[in-house]
């Protein structure tokens, strides 16, 4: 009998962890992790340089948060910086090859979901931002946070990828995703606005043989 092929331990039999459940929906059991690419697809018309820049910087920020030596080390280590291995035209496709060689499996899932749900982060809270006043700043800020959580939670519950998660697991995922987004609201708002208008899809795809 041939020895079992070594793997990147992509999947586990423990289904009590919601990230393991998501991994089982996204990846094949026998994959070694080197054959999955992250593909971000954008509309290629009327691209705002400033908003596109905020979008790319925000994604780089997401990625740096999962760097094994920490964000500050990531920022100072040029070789570690996230790069697009390919940009395809038609609609714009930004390809990050072999994503599972760059990030651990659970970090990859968070990174993917943070990009996918970037349009929902500010969506319902944007009108509140317009009406902030000094006297009601704290109240409106708290209201904004509640709206953002409601919006993101609503989108998570509609996602077929997450259909096997319990209500409690969805709530936990929602909390953890929100906690991982950066605190720079101005930059995040610009990236979220761009994503809501131009992000067509974000996928992790297995390479074809």
């Amino acid at each position: 009998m041939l020895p079992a092929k070594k793997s990147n331990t992509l999947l586990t039999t423990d289904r009590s962890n919601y990230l393991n459940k998501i991994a089982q929906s996204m990846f094949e059991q026998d994959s070694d992790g080197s054959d999955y690419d992250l593909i971000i697809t954008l509309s290629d018309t009327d691209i705002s340089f400033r908003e596109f820049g905020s979008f790319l910087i925000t994604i780089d920020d997401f990625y740096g948060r999962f760097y094994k030596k920490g964000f500050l080390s990531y920022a100072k280590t040029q070789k570690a910086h996230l790069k697009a291995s390919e940009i395809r035209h038609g609609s714009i496709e930004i390809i990050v090859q072999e994503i599972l060689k760059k990030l651990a499996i659970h970090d990859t899932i968070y990174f993917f979901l943070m990009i996918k749900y970037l349009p929902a982060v500010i969506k319902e809270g944007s009108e509140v931002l317009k009406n902030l006043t000094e006297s009601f700043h704290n109240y409106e800020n708290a209201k904004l946070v509640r709206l953002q959580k409601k919006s993101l939670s609503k989108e998570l519950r509609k996602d077929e990828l997450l259909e096997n998660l319990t209500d409690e697991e969805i709530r936990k995922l929602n909390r953890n995703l929100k906690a991982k987004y950066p605190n720079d609201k101005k930059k995040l708002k610009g990236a979220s606005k761009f994503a809501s208008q131009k992000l067509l899809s974000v996928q992790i795809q297995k390479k074809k043989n």
Side-chain angles (χ1 to χ4, degrees), residues 14-82:
D14 179 11
R15 294 186 61 83
S16 64
N17 185 307
Y18 67 84
L19 290 173
N20 291 335
K21 290 184 180 181
I22 298 172
Q24 288 167 355
S25 298
M26 291 177 65
F27 305 107
E28 294 180 6
Q29 178 70 51
D30 60 352
S31 174
D32 66 0
S34 65
D35 48 2
Y36 283 91
D37 295 340
L38 176 73
I39 303 175
I40 302 168
T41 305
L42 306 169
S43 169
D44 63 352
T45 58
D46 297 323
I47 299 291
S48 161
F49 281 24
R50 183 173 293 272
E51 290 175 358
F52 188 30
S54 292
F55 177 76
L56 293 176
I57 291 170
T58 298
I59 291 176
D60 182 72
D61 190 307
F62 294 170
Y63 183 82
R65 288 167 180 264
F66 297 115
Y67 186 60
K68 60 185 177 181
K69 294 182 180 179
F71 185 84
L72 290 178
S73 177
Y74 170 74
K76 296 176 181 179
T77 309
Q78 187 172 358
K79 289 183 178 180
H81 291 174
L82 181 64

Side-chain angles (χ1 to χ4, degrees), residues 190-207:
S192 179
K193 180 182 176 183
F194 179 87
S196 67
Q197 296 172 347
K198 302 298 180 183
L199 181 62
L200 301 179
S201 68
V202 54
Q203 303 172 35
I204 293 181
Q205 291 186 350
K206 195 173 190 297
K207 293 179 180 178

